[in-house]
Amino acid sequence: LPLVSVNQILLLLLVLTVCAILYNKVHQVPLALRSETVDLESPEEMEEEIPVVICAAAGRMGAAVAAISSIYSNTEASVLFYIVGLKTTIPHIRKWIENSKLKEIKFKVVEFNPMVLKGKIRQDASRPELLQPLNFVRFYLPLLIQKHEKVIYLDDDVIVQGNIQELYDTKLAPGHAAAFSDDCDLPSTHEMVRSVGMQNTYMGFLDYRKQAIRDLGISPSTCSFNPGVIVANMTEWKHQRITKQLEKWMQRNVEENLYSSTLGGGVATSPMLIVFHGKYSSINPMWHIRHLGWSPDARYSEQFLQEAKLLHWNGRYKPWDYPSVHTDLWENWFIPDPSGKFKLTRPDS
């Protein structure tokens, strides 16, 4: 063979050998790395996923399950559920989801460490349930959610009847870290508020006899908002150090007893009312119909409830307990506990 063609053959063999080595290198990437590369999403794809944070507390896990079930059933959007629990309760909620029709959902279980609250909560004998550590998860959203710009937080005692995409699309004004529902927004809820004597102004949450509260310069008749449904902007939240501000007002309450806990929603609502005063956007009122748990017999009209996008049983009377109102709407979405630990309380049970 002429020398030139031998060189060409050798060169070709060399190129083929290099190609074979490179091919093997690419295809022998460890499995863990390969699955991670599959998970890398472009920013556009990430935004399409709606992150929803819900807490799963001991004794009321059925609430979280019903809320998740209602959201999942009423939307076409891709929802990623962040289910937050304490170390002791996480195995129970995971098992419930994996052994029911909810096994199709996309979810991450996040453990909340109650040690972050050490020294920041004042004991309240009148409503001990309001001091549960998971009540304060909403203060720490950026610690729990890493990769999302916009997040929905929901209390566990809600049912979603609309498409959660609508709530996610809530517009936040520039400089606002969160959107809430005003407590003075819907005429139909005013009747309910009056009939059960519920508070819907700052007076019901803050103790205006205290100098620190008067120094805020907020009128006691200012309309309050309900932090059981939040659409939050994580960039603004971190930029404004919202978590630090909330912790400051928790700390001050421990030292100075600033909140009127007997009337309002207690210790988790009051710091938010202070920190977000005049600095939040509004959620469409139909996306937060509340006070369903304030009285065992004050009811909304059925037609109004059918039109509502989200129902919230805030108050003492929960739909998994007895007595409570409009329990049929809640039970539509409840999925029984496969382990049998969580049971509904009903008059005949």
Side-chain angles (χ1 to χ4, degrees):
L1 279 171
L3 191 59
V4 174
S5 56
V6 170
N7 284 344
Q8 284 174 330
I9 290 165
L10 286 172
L11 188 63
L12 184 63
L13 285 171
L14 185 64
V15 168
L16 288 171
T17 307
V18 170
C19 286
I21 291 166
L22 285 173
Y23 178 86
N24 280 337
K25 276 224 183 301
V26 168
H27 285 265
Q28 285 173 359
V29 175
L31 208 56
L33 267 178
R34 246 191 284 165
S35 65
E36 274 174 32
T37 54
V38 173
D39 275 353
L40 291 176
E41 301 158 6
S42 71
E44 293 79 35
E45 284 173 323
M46 253 170 58
E47 283 311 306
E48 285 171 9
E49 201 170 61
I50 300 175
V52 176
V53 178
I54 293 183
C55 295
R60 44 193 290 164
M61 274 188 210
V65 165
I68 291 166
S69 161
S70 71
I71 295 165
Y72 183 63
S73 305
N74 287 314
T75 186
E76 293 295 309
S78 172
V79 179
L80 173 58
F81 293 97
Y82 285 84
I83 302 168
V84 187
L86 302 179
K87 195 172 195 169
T88 49
T89 59
I90 282 173
H92 186 186
I93 192 75
R94 190 186 285 282
K95 203 167 176 186
W96 196 331
I97 288 168
E98 288 171 355
N99 291 288
S100 72
K101 62 184 182 186
L102 289 181
K103 60 178 176 282
E104 305 296 323
I105 70 169
K106 284 161 71 176
F107 73 101
K108 288 184 179 179
V109 175
V110 183
E111 183 188 333
F112 182 67
N113 184 351
M115 288 306 289
V116 299
L117 302 172
K118 199 168 170 20
K120 298 186 185 83
I121 302 177
R122 187 185 185 84
Q123 295 307 312
D124 175 16
S126 66
R127 303 265 326 254
E129 76 276 12
L130 296 173
L131 299 175
Q132 295 298 332
L134 295 179
N135 262 342
F136 300 92
V137 161
R138 69 196 97 190
F139 289 16
Y140 296 95
L141 292 176
L143 296 184
L144 304 167
I145 312 291
Q146 302 303 327
K147 64 175 186 173
H148 298 277
E149 166 72 4
K150 199 176 189 185
V151 174
I152 293 172
Y153 166 89
L154 299 176
D155 275 352
D156 60 0
D157 50 357
V158 306
I159 286 300
V160 173
Q161 302 187 134
N163 179 353
I164 197 85
Q165 181 80 50
E166 288 176 31
L167 181 61
Y168 186 71
D169 290 342
T170 299
K171 292 270 182 285
L172 272 69
H176 284 178
F180 306 98
S181 290
D182 278 314
D183 282 330
C184 311
D185 51 15
L186 268 183
S188 48
T189 62
H190 295 170
E191 290 306 313
M192 177 73 90
V193 168
R194 274 199 290 275
S195 71
V196 297
M198 219 206 85
Q199 297 299 315
N200 64 351
T201 64
Y202 273 56
M203 185 76 165
F205 296 89
L206 306 180
D207 186 347
Y208 276 83
R209 293 169 303 182
K210 300 287 163 66
Q211 191 60 45
I213 296 301
R214 291 202 299 272
D215 286 347
L216 290 167
I218 302 172
S219 162
S221 62
T222 302
C223 189
S224 52
F225 59 79
N226 185 302
V229 175
I230 307 172
V231 181
N233 177 315
M234 293 292 91
T235 305
E236 279 297 335
W237 193 292
K238 286 182 262 195
H239 174 66
Q240 296 179 32
R241 299 169 64 106
I242 298 290
T243 298
K244 278 269 169 272
Q245 292 188 55
L246 291 166
E247 286 185 327
K248 181 188 96 171
W249 284 102
M250 288 168 83
Q251 199 78 54
R252 288 199 67 174
N253 184 50
V254 170
E255 294 154 10
E256 303 172 52
N257 195 12
L258 301 174
Y259 307 147
S260 173
S261 57
T262 47
L263 291 173
V267 279
T269 300
S270 304
M272 297 198 95
L273 290 178
I274 294 171
V275 170
F276 284 101
H277 174 251
K279 288 190 293 195
Y280 64 92
S281 298
S282 291
I283 288 172
N284 173 343
M286 295 308 283
W287 267 100
H288 195 175
I289 301 303
R290 45 210 178 280
H291 317 318
L292 277 79
W294 271 86
S295 159
D297 45 29
R299 303 173 74 90
Y300 285 115
S301 80
E302 289 304 319
Q303 188 196 342
F304 176 67
L305 292 177
Q306 294 304 325
E307 291 166 6
K309 306 283 191 177
L310 181 148
L311 304 175
H312 187 184
W313 279 262
N314 58 313
R316 293 172 190 261
Y317 302 98
K318 303 300 186 190
W320 54 91
D321 271 338
Y322 180 82
S324 176
V325 293
H326 305 298
T327 49
D328 52 325
L329 291 172
W330 183 85
E331 263 188 72
N332 277 342
W333 307 108
F334 175 67
I335 298 167
D337 182 0
S339 75
K341 286 182 203 159
F342 181 94
K343 292 184 176 67
L344 301 182
T345 309
R346 293 294 178 253
D348 48 2
S349 64

